[in-house]
Amino acid sequence: MAARDDQRAACGGFQHSSEPRATSNETMRESQKEYADDNDNGIHIINIKAIEDIGYVQSDGMLLKSLGTDQDSACKHGLYFRDGQKKVDYILAYTYKKSSGSRTPNKKNHHSNSVHSLHSTKDDHHLPGGAADLEAMEAEPKMDYHEDDKRFRREEYEGNLIETGLELERDEETKQHGVGFVKIHAPWNVLCREAEFMKLKMPTKKFYQINQTPGLMQKLSSFIQKISEPIQPKVAGLRPQTVKPLSYPFSREKQHLFDMSDKDSFFDSKTRSSIVYEILKRTTCTKAKYSMGITSLLANGVYSAAYPLHDGDYESEAEANDRKLLCDEWASYSVFYKYQPIDLVRKYFGEKIGLYFAWLGVYTQMLIPASIVGIIVFLYGCATVDEDIPSMEMCDNRYNITMCPLCDRTCNYWKMSSACGTARASHLFDNPATVFFSVFMALWAASFMEHWKRRQMRLNYRWDLTGFEEEEGMVKDHPRAEYEAKVLQKSLKKEYRHKETEKEKLTWRDRFPAYLTNVVGIIFMIGVTFAIVFGVIMYRISTAAALAMSSNPNTRANVRVTVTATAVIINLVVILILDEVYGAIARWLTQIEVPKTDQTFEERLIFKAFLLKFVNAYTPIFYVAFFKGRIVGRPGDYYYIFQSFRMEECAPGGCLMELCIQLSIIMLGKQLIQNNLFEIGIPKMKKLIRYLKSKRQSYKDHEEHLKKKQRYEEDYDLEPFAGLTPEYMEMIIQFGFVTLFVASFPLAPLFALLNNIIEIRLDAKKFITELRRPVAVRAKDIGIWYNIIRGLGKLAVIINAFVISFTSDFIPRLVYLYMYSPDGTMHGFVNHTLSYFNVTDFKPGTEPSEPVDLGYKVELCRYKDYREAPWSPHKYDINKDYWAVLAARLAFVIVFQNLVMFMSDFVDWIIPDIPKDISEQIHREKVLMVEVFLKEEQGKLQMLETWKEHERRKGENCNSQSPGLSRSQRGSSSSMYSHRVDV
């Protein structure tokens, strides 16, 4: 008895079925007593009856028994039922309150209630107040109403699951304190039925030879494969396929087409779990009519978690499974230089996650050439910095250029040569090579999109996703539980008012308040972002004025650097905080909108979250690039904020250097803190808290603490999968940093590349070791993210054109070189861009209060602008040079934008979306499948002709007294065999 109890504690579970139960209380008590006797013997027998109306047929003798087998072989660490044969395809976890008088619940009473309820049908439920309840109340401590309600909902829902053909097994004898588990297994008939309903493409017995590209391309492909072998992961099936099985949507009528020699492996673990998940979403709970499945039950706390199991332990050396293989060959930092085993990732996690990592791999690969060109551009700037004439003139003290004060009263006149370092640093990023790099990155973005489309098509062909959109359209997407609840609420109101019961749906009138809230909410959040950026601007202005009043000369000399660095850090902290806030707000706004399907919900959530996070991340950068120093005015007539704060100006070398600092700090800070530290630290912290909490509870119950955790218990301790939106979002924001302002920071692709090399392995490790296994989702592409990336690529062309034209000095230098230079060189360019101001024209109270002693009396100071001199009849008016430069800038924007977009569209047009060999193979698959069905029909016709010939000969050889088939009977039989297959 003790040995059986130990086995029940390690592998314990209670298997349920839909066998009819007695309706009388006396019979129920007898069945409970009989069950309790079986329970004492360590044997739990529940028959699962067939439900013929949904196509599930089962033999009468199907019994689930627990025989006295070894613990490891019986339950295999929680991956199988207690019989050691049935795989656990899905887990439902729930919390329950243990009685204060004992450490474990009264198993006899509790489990007899569970069995009773799971035997019931939709019309005969175990409801509160019956005789069984009175007995349970006498044996168990009294529970509160909410716990009873959750328990009854679980019992009814699990009973409905059994009616769909699923097999369940309960386990409350676990190491988790107050947590019970329901193990779900999908039998073969259920898998076949659902696979046909979901139109899953499965491999047939027919194989065909893949055509190899002959000639030079084949030799080149073999050579590349040979030299890249050291960087390929050590995973089976990575070599190019020479043969491929034909795939066809599964059909129970055509099972002979598929290879079913091993039914246990025909449907892999991800397919089985996705089938069970679809059943869970479809199954309803009548206690809440609007509930459309497991989603609402999880939201209401009826279940605490629902997840498929990982294949096994990733740390065990004795256990070989796909999870451990992925951990060694994919989720390890020691293999950062290797390709990803994308096919194995898809096999384990499904197509949607596989496409994300494939896209991330392609993006990272494409960053390599961009990084190389960016480094060359940066090195070109370093090599030519000593030959840059404008920066040499700014650093030359012989020019003795006195600049006007940068602020009122507290700031003094200053020498232009003091900004020598800023001018030399600006040349590193503001040089002729920057224009070339901007054009290159625009073409790079177009090439990246085309390369990804071709790679995606290859994966679609390899993963049998061709034609998935048509199949997806034929399978109805179930409405979300929240949508059904809203429709039900509307129907009840209409029924109460007008006594009408027709089926309702939500119209735009019903959603108008939510739409209005969305618009107002998004505008308000964008306004909050602008207000914060405005606050940082005020900080910069006031801090610059305060530091200028310092008596320390070193402090006054480093005012600009100090203000810029601290302001950028403040922006970074605000961006990190608002990113989390905006993510939660975007989800709330999408929820009140009540989208009908999960796909619609996800797309609207992505759009709102991207819009808010885009504004949050790029608003400070847009300010420095296009607004700082533009709305300033001139000495003696400056523009003021609140009539006391003067708008800040750009440095003499321009705002491009400050833009570079702003971009680099925000980009690197987000990648280092948000993308890496948060992704590593937060899951580990949550895992540690759960571990300490479970450890504290386990010490309270020594018997539970000594038990070995099962697979589903270990997975319960992992972090739930929250979707791919955060993973895509951080990469899309990074893509914006790489493309939108690349003219100001050529090293952005390099830092993105270094980050992504770590990011791939970090995400892989998180998926393998830190997260519960997500449900496999079929997907043909990356969805709305592709349109967002494409839009960012187009926007990047426009923004880079304006950055080169208006933020850098590229256009003013060209105008001076070809229109105003006396000797055809850049000598005199700095003097040409500076205007004169007579210090006597300062407004009272704005001149320097304590002018610094420069060794001479300051009568004229210079400022950067194109204006008339004080001795001109139209003093301080904008001169003709300003209009010439403005015309050149606008012309450059138009030419650059149209030229680069034309080149991008040309790249898009010249590179086909579908590779030629893949297009041919897809066409060949269709032809071969038609041949298979034609041969099948020819076989049926030959069989029919053979049967007719046999019947004719039989009729000739038989005497007149022998029984035979009449002509009408033979015709009827012939019509049965003359069924033709529609291909």
Side-chain angles (χ1 to χ4, degrees):
M1 177 69 70
R4 285 192 295 268
D5 290 340
D6 291 340
Q7 179 179 349
R8 186 162 60 248
C11 307
F14 296 86
Q15 300 165 348
H16 311 306
S17 78
S18 56
E19 182 180 351
R21 63 178 180 87
T23 57
S24 66
N25 294 333
E26 180 180 356
T27 308
M28 285 189 289
R29 285 194 293 270
E30 290 177 358
S31 64
Q32 291 172 0
K33 181 177 182 301
E34 185 180 5
Y35 174 79
D37 294 337
D38 290 338
N39 190 16
D40 289 338
N41 294 329
I43 302 176
H44 315 295
I45 306 176
I46 304 295
N47 183 30
I48 297 182
K49 187 184 177 183
I51 305 298
E52 297 180 357
D53 58 344
I54 57 174
Y56 177 67
V57 181
Q58 189 175 5
S59 62
D60 295 335
M62 182 175 182
L63 299 176
L64 304 181
K65 297 185 179 182
S66 173
L67 303 178
T69 56
D70 181 68
Q71 293 181 15
D72 290 340
S73 61
C75 59
K76 300 182 183 177
H77 305 295
L79 293 174
Y80 289 80
F81 274 25
R82 295 187 65 237
D83 59 2
Q85 301 296 323
K86 297 176 175 59
K87 293 181 179 179
V88 177
D89 298 319
Y90 216 87
I91 290 291
L92 299 179
Y94 59 92
T95 57
Y96 62 91
K97 291 184 178 180
K98 291 189 175 182
S99 62
S100 59
S102 61
R103 289 195 174 107
T104 58
N106 189 326
K107 288 186 284 186
K108 290 184 181 181
N109 288 331
H110 179 79
H111 293 304
S112 82
N113 282 339
S114 298
V115 174
H116 175 166
S117 64
L118 291 172
H119 283 186
S120 62
T121 61
K122 291 185 178 181
D123 298 328
D124 190 10
H125 293 291
H126 180 196
L127 300 175
D133 282 317
L134 296 177
E135 292 182 2
M137 291 172 63
E138 293 175 0
E140 292 185 354
K142 189 174 181 179
M143 301 178 69
D144 59 26
Y145 170 77
H146 294 290
E147 289 299 319
D148 279 340
D149 182 65
K150 290 180 182 179
R151 178 163 57 89
F152 285 126
R153 286 197 184 195
R154 284 196 298 269
E155 290 171 355
E156 183 190 1
Y157 183 72
E158 290 163 16
N160 293 341
L161 289 179
I162 289 175
E163 290 185 6
T164 65
L166 296 178
E167 299 178 9
L168 310 182
E169 185 177 78
R170 189 186 299 277
D171 184 7
E172 290 186 354
E173 297 299 308
T174 65
K175 194 174 178 181
Q176 296 285 349
H177 182 78
V179 179
F181 297 92
V182 177
K183 295 176 277 187
I184 302 177
H185 169 75
W188 172 255
N189 289 0
V190 174
L191 293 173
C192 293
R193 183 191 72 212
E194 296 298 323
E196 182 176 7
F197 174 74
M198 296 169 63
K199 299 191 179 298
L200 296 180
K201 273 191 173 182
M202 305 301 294
T204 64
K205 298 177 183 178
K206 175 69 174 179
F207 284 79
Y208 69 96
Q209 191 80 17
I210 297 179
N211 293 332
Q212 300 292 332
T213 305
L216 180 62
M217 295 302 297
Q218 183 179 3
K219 294 180 180 179
L220 182 61
S221 177
S222 301
F223 175 74
I224 294 175
Q225 178 187 350
K226 187 174 182 180
I227 63 174
S228 64
E229 189 169 349
I231 59 176
Q232 296 288 348
K234 297 178 181 178
V235 176
L238 282 180
R239 293 185 174 275
Q241 296 177 332
T242 56
V243 293
K244 184 179 183 295
L246 281 175
S247 296
Y248 186 74
F250 185 81
S251 172
R252 286 174 290 181
E253 295 180 355
K254 296 181 174 58
Q255 290 191 24
H256 58 279
L257 295 177
F258 305 94
D259 184 10
M260 295 186 179
S261 57
D262 185 6
K263 292 185 176 181
D264 291 336
S265 61
F266 183 75
F267 296 106
D268 56 15
S269 59
K270 75 170 178 60
T271 305
R272 297 174 69 99
S273 62
S274 62
I275 287 175
V276 174
Y277 180 65
E278 288 297 322
I279 298 177
L280 292 177
K281 288 197 302 181
R282 271 201 328 263
T283 306
T284 61
C285 180
T286 56
K287 291 185 183 297
K289 294 182 180 180
Y290 59 84
S291 176
M292 291 306 294
I294 192 62
T295 306
S296 57
L297 296 177
L298 288 170
N300 294 328
V302 178
Y303 290 102
S304 58
Y307 53 90
L309 292 180
H310 280 291
D311 277 358
D313 193 358
Y314 63 90
E315 294 177 339
S316 175
E317 295 294 335
E319 185 180 1
N321 54 67
D322 288 342
R323 188 186 186 192
K324 177 173 175 52
L325 184 59
L326 283 171
C327 185
D328 295 338
E329 296 296 328
W330 181 52
S332 174
Y333 293 108
S334 60
V335 295
F336 72 92
Y337 60 92
K338 290 187 176 182
Y339 287 103
Q340 300 181 83
I342 293 298
D343 290 331
L344 186 58
V345 174
R346 173 253 179 180
K347 176 186 174 185
Y348 193 78
F349 291 111
E351 287 79 6
K352 191 170 185 178
I353 294 178
L355 283 174
Y356 163 71
F357 281 102
W359 174 84
L360 183 56
V362 171
Y363 171 47
T364 304
Q365 287 177 345
M366 290 294 292
L367 284 173
I368 296 176
S371 302
I372 294 174
V373 177
I375 293 173
I376 293 174
V377 171
F378 178 74
L379 293 177
Y380 171 82
C382 296
T384 59
V385 67
D386 292 330
E387 302 175 1
D388 183 49
I389 296 175
S391 59
M392 291 171 61
E393 289 182 350
M394 292 182 64
C395 296
D396 195 346
N397 289 322
R398 294 176 299 176
Y399 285 91
N400 197 27
I401 299 177
T402 304
M403 303 298 294
C404 295
L406 296 176
C407 61
D408 293 340
R409 295 185 60 81
T410 56
C411 297
N412 285 302
Y413 305 106
W414 53 286
K415 292 285 189 180
M416 176 176 280
S417 57
S418 62
C420 175
T422 305
R424 291 173 63 87
S426 297
H427 179 74
L428 300 179
F429 307 100
D430 187 4
N431 55 69
T434 304
V435 181
F436 160 76
F437 190 57
S438 299
V439 177
F440 171 81
M441 287 304 295
L443 298 179
W444 172 87
S447 302
F448 163 60
M449 299 303 295
E450 292 304 311
H451 180 41
W452 166 244
K453 283 193 290 187
R454 292 171 64 84
R455 170 68 169 162
Q456 186 174 258
M457 279 304 305
R458 290 189 180 277
L459 292 177
N460 286 341
Y461 165 71
R462 196 190 319 173
W463 296 348
D464 296 323
L465 294 173
T466 54
F468 172 67
E469 290 178 351
E470 293 79 4
E471 299 162 14
E472 187 181 28
M474 296 175 68
V475 179
K476 183 180 179 181
D477 196 358
H478 298 284
R480 298 172 62 248
E482 293 80 359
Y483 179 85
E484 290 291 331
K486 197 77 172 178
V487 171
L488 177 63
Q489 184 181 7
K490 179 183 177 182
S491 300
L492 292 177
K493 287 182 179 179
K494 191 169 184 180
E495 182 179 357
Y496 175 76
R497 293 177 181 176
H498 306 289
K499 305 297 182 182
E500 296 178 0
T501 58
E502 69 270 9
K503 188 174 180 180
E504 295 289 338
K505 64 179 181 179
L506 298 183
T507 62
W508 69 270
R509 291 187 179 88
D510 301 317
R511 288 196 172 105
F512 180 75
Y515 290 153
L516 184 61
T517 305
N518 271 258
V519 173
V520 174
I522 291 175
I523 293 175
F524 177 75
M525 290 299 106
I526 294 175
V528 169
T529 303
F530 289 164
I532 292 174
V533 172
F534 180 76
V536 174
I537 294 172
M538 296 299 299
Y539 162 81
R540 295 162 65 108
I541 296 172
S542 57
T543 304
L547 292 177
M549 297 173 61
S550 175
S551 58
N552 189 342
N554 292 329
T555 303
R556 293 198 303 267
N558 298 320
V559 168
R560 192 179 295 275
V561 176
T562 304
V563 171
T564 300
T566 55
V568 172
I569 293 174
I570 292 173
N571 276 326
L572 174 62
V573 173
V574 171
I575 287 172
L576 295 179
I577 295 174
L578 288 184
D579 259 357
E580 303 301 322
V581 175
Y582 286 167
I585 290 175
R587 178 169 292 275
W588 176 74
L589 290 174
T590 309
Q591 287 174 345
I592 65 173
E593 196 176 344
V594 196
K596 184 175 181 178
T597 62
D598 289 332
Q599 181 179 358
T600 308
F601 179 88
E602 184 181 16
E603 290 178 353
R604 295 184 182 181
L605 172 63
I606 289 171
F607 176 76
K608 294 181 182 66
F610 171 75
L611 180 61
L612 293 175
K613 293 188 176 186
F614 178 88
V615 173
N616 180 44
Y618 295 113
T619 298
I621 302 174
F622 270 94
Y623 165 73
V624 175
F626 302 121
F627 296 98
K628 184 179 179 181
R630 302 292 187 274
I631 312 174
V632 177
R634 60 169 178 82
D637 189 20
Y638 284 112
Y639 300 137
Y640 291 89
I641 302 176
F642 304 134
Q643 298 182 354
S644 57
F645 295 98
R646 201 175 90 186
M647 294 294 293
E648 54 184 346
E649 303 178 41
C650 291
C655 281
L656 195 67
M657 186 61 194
E658 188 172 343
L659 176 62
C660 174
I661 296 173
Q662 184 103 1
L663 180 64
S664 59
I665 292 179
I666 292 178
M667 177 182 177
L668 297 179
K670 276 181 64 67
Q671 290 182 352
L672 180 63
I673 298 175
Q674 189 178 45
N675 299 359
N676 293 330
L677 292 183
F678 283 5
E679 287 192 8
I680 297 174
I682 292 179
K684 286 190 177 296
M685 187 180 301
K686 291 181 178 179
K687 187 177 180 180
L688 178 62
I689 293 173
R690 286 195 301 268
Y691 171 75
L692 294 176
K693 187 182 295 184
S694 63
K695 188 176 181 181
R696 184 172 64 251
Q697 296 288 353
S698 297
Y699 276 123
K700 295 179 181 178
D701 194 333
H702 186 64
E703 295 178 359
E704 291 185 1
H705 181 65
L706 294 177
K707 291 187 302 184
K708 175 180 175 59
K709 278 191 174 183
Q710 301 297 313
R711 176 78 266 149
Y712 46 86
E713 297 178 76
E714 294 181 357
D715 287 2
Y716 182 78
D717 290 334
L718 299 178
E719 189 74 10
F721 176 64
L724 288 173
T725 299
E727 314 298 335
Y728 272 114
M729 188 67 70
E730 64 186 53
M731 289 295 103
I732 298 302
I733 296 296
Q734 182 203 85
F735 181 80
F737 284 124
V738 170
T739 55
L740 293 181
F741 297 94
V742 73
S744 63
F745 190 39
L747 295 180
L750 174 63
F751 289 113
L753 173 64
L754 297 177
N755 174 81
N756 288 5
I757 292 175
I758 301 174
E759 180 74 20
I760 290 176
R761 307 304 165 179
L762 179 63
D763 283 349
K765 196 172 188 66
K766 181 174 68 174
F767 272 82
I768 292 295
T769 64
E770 303 290 341
L771 297 179
R772 295 173 189 161
R773 187 175 183 178
V775 179
V777 178
R778 289 190 298 168
K780 190 176 183 179
D781 49 41
I782 60 176
I784 192 175
W785 296 109
Y786 178 83
N787 297 327
I788 292 175
I789 297 171
R790 192 173 183 86
L792 284 177
K794 299 294 185 183
L795 183 62
V797 176
I798 302 172
I799 290 179
N800 280 296
F802 277 94
V803 167
I804 295 172
S805 297
F806 290 90
T807 308
S808 73
D809 283 338
F810 178 74
I811 299 301
R813 292 187 184 194
L814 286 181
V815 172
Y816 176 78
L817 184 64
Y818 292 106
M819 293 182 62
Y820 300 106
S821 176
D823 54 359
T825 64
M826 293 302 297
H827 287 288
F829 170 74
V830 174
N831 184 65
H832 181 262
T833 59
L834 298 177
S835 299
Y836 290 91
F837 179 75
N838 192 331
V839 298
T840 60
D841 293 333
F842 274 120
K843 289 183 179 180
T846 60
E847 69 278 0
S849 57
E850 297 180 1
V852 66
D853 187 12
L854 299 177
Y856 56 88
K857 183 181 180 181
V858 178
E859 297 180 352
L860 295 173
C861 63
R862 309 292 296 274
Y863 61 99
K864 190 171 183 179
D865 204 350
Y866 293 99
R867 291 183 180 270
E868 298 288 347
W871 52 83
S872 172
H874 306 284
K875 67 176 184 177
Y876 305 137
D877 287 347
I878 294 175
N879 59 22
K880 62 178 182 179
D881 298 343
Y882 171 84
W883 299 111
V885 172
L886 179 61
R889 282 173 166 167
L890 295 175
F892 178 83
V893 168
I894 295 173
V895 173
F896 182 89
Q897 174 184 333
N898 287 278
L899 178 63
V900 173
M901 283 194 173
F902 169 77
M903 296 171 66
S904 300
D905 292 340
F906 179 75
V907 171
D908 189 1
W909 173 75
I910 201 172
I911 301 177
D913 295 344
I914 304 177
K916 184 178 179 181
D917 58 329
I918 297 298
S919 178
E920 293 175 352
Q921 297 293 355
I922 293 174
H923 177 71
R924 188 183 177 200
E925 270 195 1
K926 293 179 180 179
V927 173
L928 290 175
M929 187 56 66
V930 171
E931 292 179 358
V932 167
F933 286 115
L934 288 177
K935 288 181 180 179
E936 181 183 2
E937 186 170 344
Q938 289 175 0
K940 290 181 180 180
L941 292 175
Q942 290 178 359
M943 184 184 301
L944 179 61
E945 294 296 331
T946 304
W947 178 82
K948 287 182 178 180
E949 182 66 21
H950 173 74
E951 289 298 317
R952 187 182 62 82
R953 291 180 179 179
K954 184 178 178 181
E956 292 176 353
N957 296 332
C958 289
N959 54 31
S960 59
Q961 296 179 352
S962 299
L965 291 175
S966 65
R967 181 180 300 273
S968 61
Q969 290 174 325
R970 288 196 298 268
S972 174
S973 300
S974 300
S975 63
M976 293 173 58
Y977 285 89
S978 61
H979 172 69
R980 301 186 63 85
V981 181
D982 183 16
V983 181

